[in-house]
Amino acid sequence: MAPSSRARLTVDLDALAHNFHTIAAESAGAETAPVVKADGYGLGAGPLAQRLWAEGARTFFVARLAEGEALRAALGARHATILVLDGFTPATGPRLAAASLTPVLSGLAQVSAASAFAVSARAPLPCALQVDTGMNRQGITVAQAAAVAQSPDRLRGLDIGLVMSHLGCGAEPDHPRNRQQLAAFHEVRALFPEARASLAASAGAFLGPDYRFDLVRPGISLYGGGPRERFDPRLRAVARLEAPVLDIRNLNPGDLVGYGDTIAVDRATRVAVVGAGYADGVIRAARRQGQAFVGGALRRLYIVDMDLTVVDLGDADVQLGEMVELLGPNALLDDLAAAAGSIAHECLVRLSPRAERLYVGEKVAEPVWAAR
Ligand SMILES: *Cc1c(COP(=O)(O)O)cnc(C)c1O
């Protein structure tokens, strides 16, 4: 078989299942509710969610309405709770209801629009409430939450099953902001004693029992990213991006590699030209600092162009057509992110459909459609 010149993205569903159970054990007592927004961090929300359902997940989070609709279709007749972080607007209300999606209300306008919708539909509307405890990004303030909780009129028609907030510094366990947000969240929780409570994403799920509450919302750690933004051996790589060696070239000291005159090799060396670039999702900013795994070792990335990446081989014995791991169990996600000055989340969502996609691991039966 002629070597393919295409990059290949392998999504390991068994590794996903392993990570799910690792997080569930770490946050024992709380429900583990996977976050599969942005098409499952670029890895395919449908196949990921089907496998996570088979492993016991029953509650999922997405960001956008359309992501929720697609996930509802992918999960078919399964009675999953799907929460939409974008929340509720008068325009999206009917679509949320049609797909049985649960909006996460994050502003007073959303609360009143959802309440008006439920009242006119004469049916209680299941929803979640997001409260800002100090991240200053999304959610009503603690004071607004108190006002809402004390005003039955504002809550008419709303069935608030979950109150949640989000940590700004969860990846830094000793940061004082964590305890400040935790204290504020306890206030919020007391306002809605009937609702379940959720504070932790991946990082928070590893912060210990104080941060667990009733439900944790991991995203990146399900996909192998460490909760402290560095490799965590308890988690397995879910995404593996590989591409073949298309050419091997000899360079002399002083030769300039690629565009511009910034990268000059300082010794005679061999380099591999690899058939994947930033159009496949190799982060360009990882050039020079980042490493790929080839010939049994990690080797430096010289350049990352749109279609091609050049890797320093040194004196390694590497053949044409050999696959180079650009991301995976050896070329670690968190290391790539650090080399690119980014975070694991961004490295995953940039993986593109140009790379051929392969799902491995125990297959899950296709959903059976139920008449609705
Ligand atoms: C994206 C997101 C998560 C998941 O975050 P990770 O860091 O990927 O675990 C959880 N909660 C909210 C509100 C989010 O926006």
Side-chain angles (χ1 to χ4, degrees):
M1 198 175 76
S4 163
S5 64
R6 276 184 83 182
R8 182 170 69 208
L9 175 65
T10 307
V11 178
D12 184 342
L13 298 173
D14 290 340
L16 175 73
H18 167 90
N19 295 342
F20 175 76
H21 292 296
T22 299
I23 297 164
E26 185 66 29
S27 47
E31 178 182 356
T32 299
V35 179
V36 293
K37 60 192 179 187
D39 196 25
Y41 289 43
L43 302 180
L48 297 186
Q50 286 167 8
R51 179 60 188 266
L52 288 164
W53 174 277
E55 300 300 325
R58 293 295 176 265
T59 304
F60 298 85
F61 285 85
V62 295
R64 305 278 182 256
L65 168 62
E67 293 170 1
E69 291 171 327
L71 184 61
R72 178 62 75 203
L75 286 172
R78 301 174 178 96
H79 297 290
T81 299
I82 300 174
L83 291 112
V84 177
L85 293 167
D86 272 357
F88 187 99
T89 66
T92 58
R95 280 172 64 187
L96 287 161
S100 303
L101 304 174
T102 307
V104 179
L105 308 177
S106 303
L108 288 181
Q110 291 197 2
V111 173
S112 48
S115 169
F117 181 86
V119 167
S120 72
R122 296 172 192 279
L125 181 73
C127 55
L129 188 64
Q130 167 129 256
V131 182
D132 176 18
T133 53
M135 189 175 171
N136 295 308
R137 186 184 70 168
Q138 202 176 30
I140 61 174
T141 65
V142 177
Q144 287 170 336
V148 167
Q150 281 144 28
S151 152
D153 214 40
R154 281 171 132 157
L155 289 169
R156 272 213 300 158
L158 300 182
D159 173 12
I160 298 182
L162 180 76
V163 285
M164 54 180 270
S165 190
H166 198 41
L167 294 171
C169 291
E172 299 162 68
D174 299 326
H175 201 290
R177 200 177 176 193
N178 291 323
R179 302 223 62 94
Q180 289 159 9
Q181 287 198 252
L182 180 64
F185 191 62
H186 275 291
E187 278 180 55
V188 172
R189 192 194 192 190
L191 295 168
F192 297 92
E194 308 287 301
R196 296 205 293 163
S198 173
L199 180 59
S202 296
F206 288 84
L207 279 182
D210 290 356
Y211 290 84
R212 249 173 236 170
F213 293 93
D214 302 308
L215 180 147
V216 297
R217 314 182 304 267
I220 195 64
S221 289
L222 285 172
Y223 314 121
R228 307 279 171 264
E229 294 182 6
R230 56 175 186 268
F231 172 66
D232 187 320
R234 292 172 290 182
L235 302 169
R236 285 173 53 190
V238 172
R240 186 163 81 231
L241 182 67
E242 297 163 295
V245 174
L246 303 180
D247 195 10
I248 294 174
R249 311 176 71 92
N250 294 303
L251 298 182
N252 295 309
D255 280 352
L256 301 174
V257 189
Y259 295 112
D261 61 358
T262 51
I263 303 180
V265 296
D266 54 8
R267 68 202 138 79
T269 189
R270 291 158 72 241
V271 295
V273 180
V274 180
Y278 57 78
D280 302 281
V282 185
I283 302 279
R284 182 171 179 271
R287 70 199 191 282
R288 312 180 80 162
Q289 304 298 321
Q291 294 184 301
F293 188 80
V294 54
L298 286 168
R299 304 179 194 281
R300 189 155 77 103
L301 302 178
Y302 271 125
I303 60 175
V304 179
D305 289 339
M306 189 181 292
D307 316 308
L308 301 168
T309 291
V310 174
V311 179
D312 185 2
L313 290 180
D315 51 14
D317 180 25
V318 170
Q319 310 298 314
L320 286 182
E322 201 167 318
M323 288 304 252
V324 177
E325 181 188 305
L326 295 151
L327 175 69
N330 301 293
L332 299 171
L333 174 61
D334 288 297
D335 291 348
L336 177 74
S342 184
I343 54 174
H345 308 60
E346 186 186 6
C347 293
L348 286 187
V349 299
R350 295 224 182 256
L351 293 169
S352 94
R354 192 167 81 171
E356 177 187 6
R357 217 163 256 236
L358 209 71
Y359 290 87
V360 299
E362 191 188 308
K363 292 276 182 301
V364 175
E366 283 301 302
V368 181
W369 282 88
R372 268 202 294 235

